[in-house]
């Protein structure tokens, strides 16, 4: 076993692990439930920019799919880490730190997805380890590449596995696409305020993330929260949907990539304030909880073109 101290990580075993390919099948109903779970049509049930995510608006043949729907293809990944060879950690100390998405093609309204998973990075941060997992998703029938998700998972208490004085760091992501910009000090280009529902986490969990932290009061209390918290990926879905509405003129297909860093929990029923700065074809954003005046999420969204309505 490589490493020093009490760390239970063998980096060579971890980064050489080969995951089996997996299938994920979804229908229009799944896409619509997800859209409602991240707040689509919450303010207005006939919103002309969002009805298309849940209804065959204006006679359209298929409903449209939000780009963050692809995060559902990764839902089981953190729990799979417990079976990863060479990786020993306390699952109670696992945190989903970041999510990065690349969109290659609009997601179909229903599809059988082939997922190919790999370890994209492993870093020794001293008291913690950071594991990056990459999932590339293909349309099974055509073989076309649809999207890529990269998760950064923080394993508290699992650091200290480096063999030398130089901290161990491996990354297959040489171009560093997901590096985070600083929040600008200037006034935001746009600000959008939206209240989540008290039942938001209960609705979002129907999309497949059944972690009791988001539904069970006793479990949430044992984890240090006063009540169940909202899924981080639900907050990300709210933010990206807001950017589509406010910056993209309602056109979800202008989005090329999404990056988000989770800073703090959200309680269902709290109000989200999304601040957006436009820098060329990049939207830098920050989400705050109004009631506590705390930042809970920040990141960027890259666009392939600007809306003519700006």
């Amino acid at each position: 076993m490589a490493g020093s101290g009490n760390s239970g990580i063998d980096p060579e075993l971890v980064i050489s692990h080969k995951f089996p390919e997996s299938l994920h099948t979804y229908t229009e109903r799944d896409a619509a439930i997800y859209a409602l779970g991240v707040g689509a049509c919450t303010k207005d049930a006939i919103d002309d920019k969002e009805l298309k995510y849940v209804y065959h608006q204006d006679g359209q043949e298929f409903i449209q799919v939000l780009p963050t729907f692809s995060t559902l293809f990764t839902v089981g990944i953190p729990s799979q880490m417990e079976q990863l060879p060479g990786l020993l950690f306390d699952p109670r100390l696992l945190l989903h730190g970041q999510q990065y998405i690349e969109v290659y093609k609009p997601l179909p309204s229903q599809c059988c997805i082939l997922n190919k998973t790999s370890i994209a990075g492993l870093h020794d941060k001293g008291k913690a380890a950071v594991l990056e997992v990459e999932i590339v998703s293909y349309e099974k029938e055509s073989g076309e590449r649809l999207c890529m998700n990269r998760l950064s998972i923080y394993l508290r208490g699992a650091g200290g596995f480096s063999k030398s004085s130089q901290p161990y760091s491996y990354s297959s992501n040489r171009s560093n696409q997901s590096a985070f910009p600083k929040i600008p000090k200037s006034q935001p280009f746009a600000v959008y305020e939206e209240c989540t529902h008290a039942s938001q986490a209960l609705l979002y969990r129907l999309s497949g993330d059944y972690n009791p932290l988001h539904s069970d009061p006793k479990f949430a209390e044992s984890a240090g929260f006063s009540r169940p918290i909202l899924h981080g990926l639900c907050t990300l879905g709210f933010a990206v949907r807001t950017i589509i509405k406010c910056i993209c003129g309602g056109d979800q297909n202008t989005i090329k990539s999404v990056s988000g860093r989770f800073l703090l929990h959200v309680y269902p029923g709290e109000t989200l304030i999304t601040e957006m700065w436009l820098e060329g074809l990049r939207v830098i954003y920050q989400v705050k909880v109004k009631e506590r005046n705390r930042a809970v999420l920040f990141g960027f969204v890259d666009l392939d073109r600007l809306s003519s309505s700006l």
Side-chain angles (χ1 to χ4, degrees):
M1 176 72 71
S4 60
N6 297 320
S7 176
I9 293 182
D10 183 333
E12 299 309 318
L13 263 182
V14 173
I15 66 172
S16 62
H17 180 68
K18 303 297 182 187
F19 290 86
E21 295 179 353
S22 61
L23 296 177
H24 180 101
T25 300
Y26 67 87
T27 66
E28 277 200 340
R29 184 176 186 274
D30 299 316
I33 289 173
Y34 172 81
L36 293 171
V38 297
C41 297
T42 295
K43 282 189 173 182
D44 181 0
I46 56 171
D47 188 318
D48 63 350
K49 289 188 174 70
E50 297 193 336
L51 193 57
K52 61 184 178 181
Y53 301 129
V54 297
Y55 178 68
H56 294 185
Q57 187 180 7
D58 298 327
Q60 67 182 14
E61 189 177 355
F62 306 107
I63 67 168
Q64 303 295 301
V65 182
L66 286 161
T68 50
F69 179 75
S70 72
T71 59
L72 299 184
F73 308 159
T74 74
V75 162
I77 292 298
S79 61
Q80 289 179 30
M81 295 304 100
E82 293 181 54
Q83 282 77 49
L84 196 67
L87 190 66
L88 184 63
F89 66 95
D90 185 342
R92 295 172 298 177
L93 300 179
L94 181 151
L95 292 174
H96 184 176
Q98 296 175 192
Q99 185 90 12
Y100 175 70
I101 309 165
E102 286 184 354
V103 181
Y104 307 127
K105 216 187 148 191
L107 293 172
S109 60
Q110 52 188 358
C111 193
C112 181
I113 299 287
L114 174 68
N115 290 319
K116 297 182 180 181
T117 304
S118 61
I119 299 297
L122 178 64
H123 313 279
D124 187 348
K125 298 294 184 180
K127 292 184 178 180
V130 177
L131 184 69
E132 296 176 73
V133 184
E134 189 169 290
I135 303 96
V136 183
S137 301
Y138 302 80
E139 189 174 21
K140 184 176 182 290
E141 190 173 337
S142 68
E144 285 188 280
R145 190 174 62 157
L146 296 175
C147 59
M148 180 272 284
N149 278 267
R150 186 183 304 121
L151 298 74
S152 291
I153 300 170
Y154 289 76
L155 306 173
R156 291 173 292 168
F161 57 85
S162 303
K163 291 180 180 179
S164 65
S165 58
Q166 187 72 22
Y168 182 92
S169 184
Y170 161 79
S171 179
S172 63
N173 174 28
R174 292 184 177 83
S175 59
N176 202 27
Q177 308 107 312
S178 51
F180 280 81
K182 291 183 178 179
I183 297 295
K185 294 181 179 178
S186 58
Q187 286 292 110
F189 178 83
V191 179
Y192 190 79
E193 183 174 314
E194 189 168 27
C195 191
T196 63
H197 285 301
S199 58
Q200 201 74 55
L202 298 177
L203 176 57
Y204 183 83
R205 76 188 291 271
L206 298 180
S207 288
D209 188 340
Y210 299 114
N211 186 333
L213 181 62
H214 309 294
S215 55
D216 188 320
K218 290 182 179 177
F219 188 94
E221 187 178 348
S222 72
F225 300 102
S226 61
R227 59 187 189 275
I229 62 173
L230 196 61
H231 308 68
L233 288 176
C234 180
T235 306
L236 181 67
F238 264 85
V240 174
R241 183 181 55 76
T242 294
I243 291 167
I244 293 169
K245 178 192 263 304
C246 297
I247 305 290
C248 304
D251 183 359
Q252 76 281 2
N253 294 329
T254 62
I255 290 187
K256 285 175 55 181
S257 64
V258 173
S259 197
R261 178 175 290 170
F262 305 107
L263 304 175
L264 193 67
H265 62 279
V266 175
Y267 287 115
E270 289 187 313
T271 305
L272 302 179
I273 299 174
T274 304
E275 300 171 323
M276 296 157 270
W277 292 263
L278 188 58
E279 297 189 351
L281 290 175
R282 171 166 286 188
V283 182
I284 300 171
Y285 70 90
Q286 177 174 252
V287 181
K288 294 179 178 177
V289 165
K290 183 178 183 179
E291 290 80 0
R292 289 179 283 141
N293 193 30
R294 299 287 299 275
V296 296
L297 172 70
F298 86 100
F300 65 85
V301 171
D302 285 337
L303 312 175
D304 68 2
R305 62 188 181 279
L306 290 177
S307 168
S308 58
S309 62
L310 289 178

